[in-house]
Every structure is written in structure tokens, then in C-alpha cells.
Amino acid sequence: VVTKSPVRAHLPPLIAGLAVPPAVAWLLFLPHLGVGESLAALSTPFASAANADVRDLYFYRAVMGTDDLASAIRNIGLGTMIYGGVIGIPFLALRLVPGDRITKWPRLGILLGVLTAVAVLRASLSWIHWWYFFVPLQVLTVLFLLGEVTGRLPLLSVLRGPEGRLPATLLAVLATGLLAKVFFNTSVVSYGFVLTTPALTILITVVCVTLPDLLSRRSRDAGRIFRAYSLALLFGILLVHLVPTASIVSSRSLPVGTGSDGFLTDPVRGEVLNDLMVEIGRLSAEDRLVVVPEGAMINYLARWPSSVPFPTILPPEQALFGAEEIERAFSDDPPEWIATWDREGVLYGVFGEDYGIGLSAWIKNRYDTTWSAEYVTRSGSTSAPDTVAVRLLKRILPGEPPGGDQSESQ
């Protein structure tokens, strides 16, 4: 009987997993962009990551943690110490306690494990920022990867089957690769929600399965106690993260869009968006609209076409495609209408002052404001900007004097 090797047996699903998602994306792009531009669209994320000018932007340096390496390394060290304290000490304690003493009161031991986790969470809230708990995930994934490749530290043995170490090794490779973009700033929020998912799978597997199984070899109840402790600890950390999430979600109370397009946002930006959508609804059906510096969602919600191929013209696009190329796209096919969405430049600065200066001047010389509004935060949400100013501008046709009718809305 001839059987496939573990590696050959896993190659088809591995290749399919790598090829199918890009192929589906390419097919979705194809009707709108054509063969060549669809392939170029798929390579944009890689080109962005490889572009030195993009990586040098403050936003990307902050996301990657390279803006302050000393602080990032210190946080990784702090997170590693937290792991050693809240996971390592209970594990060693159960490892050292004689097994016959643990088995006398197994249920009481499990209850004590849960109560210990609660006590650790409660006592450490004042001196541990629990966001740091996931900071050293990259250390763990690299450790797991080396252990699986060498076979000397089989922390993921629970994932093994007839195929040997390959599934666990592939998971460790995936986890380490995804964390590369945020290696010095690992976080489960924002972009980290996706990037840390495989690493979180490894962490949960190790603390809830692997380590309890190691303890169970000596005492079955020791493994149960540690598993109860780990689950309670993870549940507590989950609650710590859900509290600010609930605060953010509760601040989004104003509906935007209708039907399947509908969603909730904070009252400030939602009011701006709804008022702007009313104004856009009065435009001629043949007109095109571009929102600067960002706002492709407005085009989507209004089902209004743009005249340029850039969804945003923020500094990453300026660095990736070139400011001159973006300005040329506007001048070659100028849209009939432009909406400007001005808000506090927390990440990139102010459009027309810190970036996009040439395009801003081009717009001022060729467009008139027909409607404008400014909104001040009233929701108290920290996720909303203090003010949002929006304008709708109409292109000045040849021979038409500048300074058309304007209406103000406050």
C-alpha cells in the first residue's frame, strides 16, 4: 500500500487556501478594472508594505510599534513578566504540590482555581494594564514555531494527529507571519483583531489544553484546576476588553443609510453624513463626485460614481502613487462635484496644509462652494472628532464666473 507523506497530503488544501481568496478577489475586480489592473489591485497591499515612504509615515510607525522601539521593547518585557506571573507561578505551584493532596478535594480545588483567577485580576487592575497581556504574543509564537520545527518544545502537541507536526507548524508559521506587521505593537484591537487571531488560538490552546495536560500526567485534578484557572482568567480579560468596546458601540446611536446599507455611527459624523447625502441627492444623475481626502463610503451609499481611481488621497496613497499622479488624475478627468471632509488631522495632519497642498490649490482655483456645514461634538464620545467641517463644491465651467450661490447650514 502506497500512502502519501504528511507534507504531500497537506499540499492541495494548503495551495487552495493560498490561491482561492486572491482568485475570488481578482474575479470581483475583473468586471470593473480589467485583467491587468485587477492583478495590480491585488498587489497593492504588498507594494504598500514594501514602500519605504509609506512605512515612514507616523500612522504606520505607530501601528508597527517602530516609532518608539525602546518603549515597545519595554512593553514586551512587561507583558512577558505578566505571563510569567499569572500563568507561570500557578503552573509551577500545582506542579510542586503533591498529587495526593490535590485529589482530596477536587471540586474545591477547581473553585479555588477560579477564585484565584478572579483575585489575580482584581488585585492587579491597579498596576497591570491588561492591554499589555497580548503584547508578547510574538515572543510566544516564535517560541512555539521553533519548538515545532525542532520538535524539542512540543507545546502544540494537542494539534497533532496522523499527519505529525505539520498542522501545528503551519499554524505557528501563519501566526508569526501575521504578527510581523505589528511585531513591536501587538494588540487585539483595531488591525490587531485579525492579525493576532492565529496567535490567540495558540495562546488559548496552550494555557487551556497543553499546560493542563502536562499537569494531568502527575495529577488529573491538578490539570483540571489549572484549566479552570486559565478559563476564568481569559474570561476576565475578555470582560476588560468588552467594557471599552461597549462604550464605543453605545456611542454610535445615529442610523446612516437604509436597508442593507444601514449602520449606526456617532451623532456628529452621522449628522454630517446624512445632511451631505441629502445635498448629493439633488445633483444631476450624469455628474461625478469625489470626496477628499477620504470618503469613498459616501460614493457607495449614494451610489454616485467617482472620476478618479483612488478611494482616498491620504498620505499613504500620496507616497504609494505619487502626488503628481493623483493631481494628474483629477486634471485629466475633473469631477463635476467635490466634497471636502475636514476633521482634526490626528494621524496625517490637515489636507491642504500638511499634505495634498498642490491638489488643494488646484481645487480652490476650479471649484466653488455651494453648501457647507460645521458640526461640533455633542455626544461626548472620545472616538468622534471635536469638529467636522464639510463642503460641497461645484466645478467652474469655462467662461463661467467664480462665486456661485452658496448656502450655509449649521
Side-chain angles (χ1 to χ4, degrees), residues 137-337:
L137 277 176
Q138 70 284 88
V139 177
L140 294 176
T141 53
V142 170
L143 181 65
F144 300 154
L145 178 59
L146 292 176
E148 287 302 319
V149 170
T150 61
R152 297 182 180 277
L153 192 65
L155 291 175
L156 297 180
S157 57
V158 67
L159 299 178
R160 294 180 185 173
E163 303 85 358
R165 295 200 307 267
L166 185 61
T169 303
L170 290 177
L171 178 61
V173 169
L174 175 63
T176 306
L178 286 180
L179 288 182
K181 187 175 182 179
V182 290
F183 193 83
F184 294 103
N185 185 31
T186 304
S187 172
V188 296
V189 299
S190 189
Y191 293 93
F193 173 73
V194 173
L195 298 177
T196 61
T197 297
L200 284 174
T201 303
I202 292 176
L203 172 65
I204 294 170
T205 301
V206 170
V207 299
C208 294
V209 180
T210 305
L211 295 182
D213 284 353
L214 288 175
L215 290 172
S216 295
R217 295 177 184 176
R218 201 160 167 268
S219 170
R220 181 181 178 185
D221 293 313
R224 290 179 175 178
I225 292 171
F226 188 82
R227 182 175 289 112
Y229 168 82
S230 299
L231 289 171
L233 187 68
L234 290 172
F235 182 74
I237 297 171
L238 174 64
L239 290 180
V240 171
H241 284 75
L242 285 177
V243 169
T245 300
S247 175
I248 294 172
V249 171
S250 64
S251 70
R252 298 173 180 174
S253 56
L254 189 67
V256 170
T258 58
S260 59
D261 290 341
F263 60 92
L264 296 176
T265 186
D266 65 84
V268 177
R269 283 175 288 191
E271 188 176 354
V272 175
L273 187 52
N274 285 334
D275 288 351
L276 179 58
M277 294 289 289
V278 171
E279 297 299 321
I280 294 174
R282 298 170 179 167
L283 307 183
S284 172
E286 294 79 21
D287 293 344
R288 283 88 47 82
L289 170 73
V290 177
V291 186
V292 297
E294 58 178 335
M297 176 59 74
I298 296 174
N299 289 85
Y300 173 78
L301 290 175
R303 300 299 192 270
W304 222 269
S306 171
S307 67
V308 298
F310 309 105
T312 71
I313 53 171
L314 294 169
E317 285 73 30
Q318 303 267 337
L320 188 59
F321 302 107
E324 296 80 7
E325 182 66 25
I326 294 175
E327 292 173 22
R328 187 179 302 112
F330 274 83
S331 61
D332 288 349
D333 190 11
E336 287 73 26
W337 295 86

Side-chain angles (χ1 to χ4, degrees), residues 20 34 60 83 89 100 108 125-126 183 191 195 265 285 310 318 326 328 359:
V20 170
Y60 280 86
Y83 276 38
I89 292 178
D100 57 343
L108 179 60
L125 282 177
S126 60
F183 193 83
Y191 293 93
L195 298 177
T265 186
F310 309 105
Q318 303 267 337
I326 294 175
R328 187 179 302 112
L359 180 59

